[in-house]
Amino acid sequence: DTEVTQTPKHLVMGMTNKKSLKCEQHMGHRAMYWYKQKAKKPPELMFVYSYEKLSINESVPSRFSPECPNSSLLNLHLHALQPEDSALYLCASSQDPLGTAADTQYFGPGTRLTVL
Amino acid sequence: GDSVTQMEGPVTLSEEAFLTINCTYTATGYPSLFWYVQYPGEGLQLLLKATKADDKGSNKGFEATYRKETTSFHLEKGSVQVSDSAVYFCALSDGNNQGGKLIFGQGTELSVKP
């Protein structure tokens, strides 16, 4: 089983709202990732968690706040977003938190976020 | 730095045509290479991978061979179907970045007509 689940599937929020995206995997993977994807573009890495600790933050604005409560769950808290933050947000997980070359990332279906 | 270059799309083929999507890479170490597919409105799915030179990855009729001498990982399928219409991303992981950062190509959109 290589399933990563994400909720909600769609989210519409205003610029003053606070919302959260949720990601879950039960493959025993110890690395989890958040990506942002604009239409017809490749995913852009936002954050990496290794062993539930934040290991990479790709200079993401503070209005995006990640959280890894345990090894199976990854959240992305959203606050005071801008319309340009509208995108597909993808979660991924992989087995090896040290990121060896052969490590394979498995992606969830994504949350399509619209900021009004 | 590491990079991946894919042929530009969109690529439009008739059903049962032969497919090639070119992918070349630049990397300093010994990367692993991946093809991901994204169907409309969905996330990325791993299609196939190869972890060392001369490895061939294959899945669902798609194949790609890791060619170190030409730094390429071209995706091929002998007979495409309408259901193969999607965006295809070539990617590499060189293992030099802790956290396993994937470097993606720009993606190639494939449209298969009946």
Side-chain angles (χ1 to χ4, degrees):
Chain A
D1 182 14
T2 56
E3 188 177 26
V4 177
T5 59
Q6 290 187 244
T7 55
K9 192 171 176 62
H10 299 277
L11 179 63
V12 179
M13 60 186 291
M15 289 190 284
T16 58
N17 291 156
K18 286 185 181 181
K19 297 287 184 183
S20 297
L21 310 185
K22 180 180 173 181
C23 172
E24 195 164 4
Q25 58 88 13
H26 295 288
M27 296 177 277
H29 289 174
R30 301 312 298 270
M32 296 186 77
Y33 311 77
W34 279 116
Y35 289 85
K36 173 183 177 180
Q37 187 183 26
K38 290 285 206 178
K40 298 190 182 295
K41 296 291 186 183
E44 299 172 23
L45 184 65
M46 300 174 72
F47 302 104
V48 181
Y49 273 82
S50 301
Y51 291 115
E52 296 99 66
K53 292 190 184 337
L54 184 65
S55 59
I56 294 179
N57 176 342
E58 291 286 294
S59 302
V60 178
S62 61
R63 59 186 183 269
F64 295 92
S65 175
E67 178 196 21
C68 190
N70 60 56
S71 59
S72 300
L73 278 176
L74 186 66
N75 298 320
L76 186 63
H77 303 297
L78 315 172
H79 173 54
L81 294 193
Q82 304 297 310
E84 59 264 30
D85 296 322
S86 298
L88 182 67
Y89 288 84
L90 294 164
C91 174
S93 71
S94 67
Q95 188 167 24
D96 181 3
L98 297 181
T100 55
D103 193 35
T104 300
Q105 292 185 29
Y106 296 92
F107 286 79
T111 293
R112 188 160 301 281
L113 174 67
T114 303
V115 182
L116 300 177
Chain B
D2 295 352
S3 66
V4 175
T5 303
Q6 286 181 238
M7 62 186 285
E8 286 192 24
V11 173
T12 301
L13 296 173
S14 297
E15 206 165 23
E16 299 184 0
F18 184 85
L19 169 71
T20 299
I21 300 178
N22 290 336
C23 171
T24 57
Y25 68 90
T26 302
T28 52
Y30 300 92
S32 290
L33 301 171
F34 305 85
W35 277 102
Y36 285 89
V37 58
Q38 186 171 33
Y39 298 102
E42 298 186 11
L44 272 69
Q45 297 179 25
L46 177 67
L47 184 58
L48 53 83
K49 69 177 185 180
T51 58
K52 61 183 187 296
D54 299 325
D55 269 2
K56 177 187 281 188
S58 61
N59 186 25
K60 300 181 182 179
F62 291 90
E63 293 183 342
T65 301
Y66 187 159
R67 302 283 189 202
K68 192 168 174 64
E69 63 276 13
T70 54
T71 61
S72 65
F73 193 55
H74 305 321
L75 183 68
E76 296 182 336
K77 187 176 185 183
S79 176
V80 293
Q81 306 299 312
V82 172
S83 56
D84 294 325
S85 298
V87 180
Y88 292 81
F89 291 99
C90 185
L92 74 81
S93 173
D94 69 3
N96 289 331
N97 298 310
Q98 188 165 9
K101 188 182 292 188
L102 275 175
I103 308 298
F104 286 96
Q106 288 303 301
T108 302
E109 184 176 7
L110 171 66
S111 177
V112 181
K113 306 296 185 187

